[in-house]
Amino acid sequence: MSDKRILMLSSSRSHDEDYLEGAKHRILPFLDDIKSVLFVPYAGVTMSWDEYTDKVQQALPALNVTGIHTFADPIEAVQSADAILVGGGNTFNLLYQLQVQQILPAIQDVVQRGCPYIGWSAGSNICGLSIKTTNDMPIIEPQSFAAMGFLPIQLNPHYSDYQPPGHNGETRAQRITEFCVLNPTTPVVGIREGSALLYQNGILSLIGEHKAVVFLGKTVTEISKDDDLANLLTQQN
């Protein structure tokens, strides 16, 4: 049985909630008695990493939140972390920073050995095989699109079926279908805001108020919190 414990939130908030207001009701129970967390703010672009870390600390006052960027040796910080939080923002910038600072292998190692990992938005996006199904603009070029690979799937946080009136661009589903044409054996899970994927004790489950959408080849299905998602962990990629 895998020791990995991963909480993948679609977003930092749902509807008009305050920042991380709804998310903290999933984050704190998931952490149990852990109070000190290492925060990775690299997805932040329009605010400084100090500002981003302070914002998360204010939203989660029950925790002691320390930004990874404040350590002289970020790899050592990962190796000694009780838990890791990775925030949302731009997925390309997040992955770029993790790659150029050579932090990816360290996070993969500690999570594999049981260090709890919590991500939202971009922080969830990198839990899959690659970032090829992100919604973000490629504002910077990472060394590759390969991500954490915690799960043998692709993720699409902030998934929405909404089509603005008069908008003639592709829908989210159409964009994901393009990926599926070129990668027909790789599942893509669209997580709607307010929901999350949880992986622990070797089991993947959907939590939250909304169903998720799974794209696999030419097949599109909805999943709910009571569904068995074991088949998503055994797909051939």
Side-chain angles (χ1 to χ4, degrees):
M1 181 181 295
S2 173
D3 292 329
K4 289 183 292 189
R5 297 185 60 233
I6 308 167
L7 178 61
M8 296 154 279
L9 299 149
S10 177
S11 56
S12 60
R13 70 185 91 200
S14 180
H15 306 300
D16 297 324
E17 294 175 341
D18 290 336
Y19 186 68
L20 292 177
E21 180 61 32
K24 71 181 179 183
H25 299 301
R26 306 193 195 286
I27 291 172
L28 298 180
F30 177 77
L31 290 173
D32 195 14
D33 60 349
I34 294 175
K35 298 302 180 183
S36 295
V37 297
L38 180 69
F39 178 61
V40 179
Y42 298 149
V45 177
T46 57
M47 70 173 76
S48 73
W49 294 340
D50 281 339
E51 291 171 333
Y52 198 173
T53 303
D54 288 343
K55 183 177 182 179
V56 173
Q57 177 65 85
Q58 292 174 21
L60 302 173
L63 301 177
N64 177 23
V65 181
T66 306
I68 191 173
H69 63 290
T70 64
F71 289 85
D73 187 341
I75 295 177
E76 183 178 330
V78 169
Q79 292 171 337
S80 61
D82 293 329
I84 297 172
L85 272 64
V86 183
N90 186 277
T91 308
F92 291 92
N93 199 57
L94 170 60
L95 186 59
Y96 172 84
Q97 292 293 338
L98 291 172
Q99 289 173 343
V100 298
Q101 298 189 52
Q102 301 180 337
I103 300 170
L104 268 174
I107 296 178
Q108 290 169 321
D109 179 62
V110 298
V111 172
Q112 186 67 38
R113 292 188 284 109
C115 179
Y117 177 103
I118 299 171
W120 55 89
S121 190
S124 295
N125 221 315
I126 62 171
C127 291
L129 294 169
S130 78
I131 64 167
K132 293 178 182 178
T133 50
T134 180
N135 304 319
D136 300 332
M137 286 188 176
I139 60 174
I140 194 169
E141 184 175 3
Q143 296 170 351
S144 78
F145 292 153
M148 293 291 182
F150 294 146
L151 303 174
I153 62 176
Q154 292 286 133
L155 297 171
N156 181 252
H158 301 285
Y159 181 81
S160 175
D161 304 298
Y162 180 66
Q163 175 79 347
H167 177 70
N168 295 310
E170 288 79 3
T171 65
R172 188 72 52 78
Q174 288 172 322
R175 287 302 192 195
I176 294 175
T177 298
E178 292 175 338
F179 172 87
C180 291
V181 169
L182 300 180
N183 305 269
T185 63
T186 302
V188 183
V189 182
I191 317 170
R192 294 184 169 97
E193 293 188 350
S195 295
L197 288 177
L198 173 66
Y199 182 84
Q200 60 183 358
N201 300 320
I203 298 172
L204 179 66
S205 57
L206 176 70
I207 57 176
E209 57 189 271
H210 301 296
K211 292 182 177 180
V213 182
V214 176
F215 298 79
L216 180 59
K218 297 181 179 180
T219 303
V220 181
T221 57
E222 282 195 323
I223 56 175
S224 66
K225 61 182 181 180
D226 298 320
D227 290 340
D228 182 357
L229 307 184
N231 63 309
L232 294 178
L233 303 177
T234 58
Q235 294 292 335
Q236 297 299 314
N237 301 291

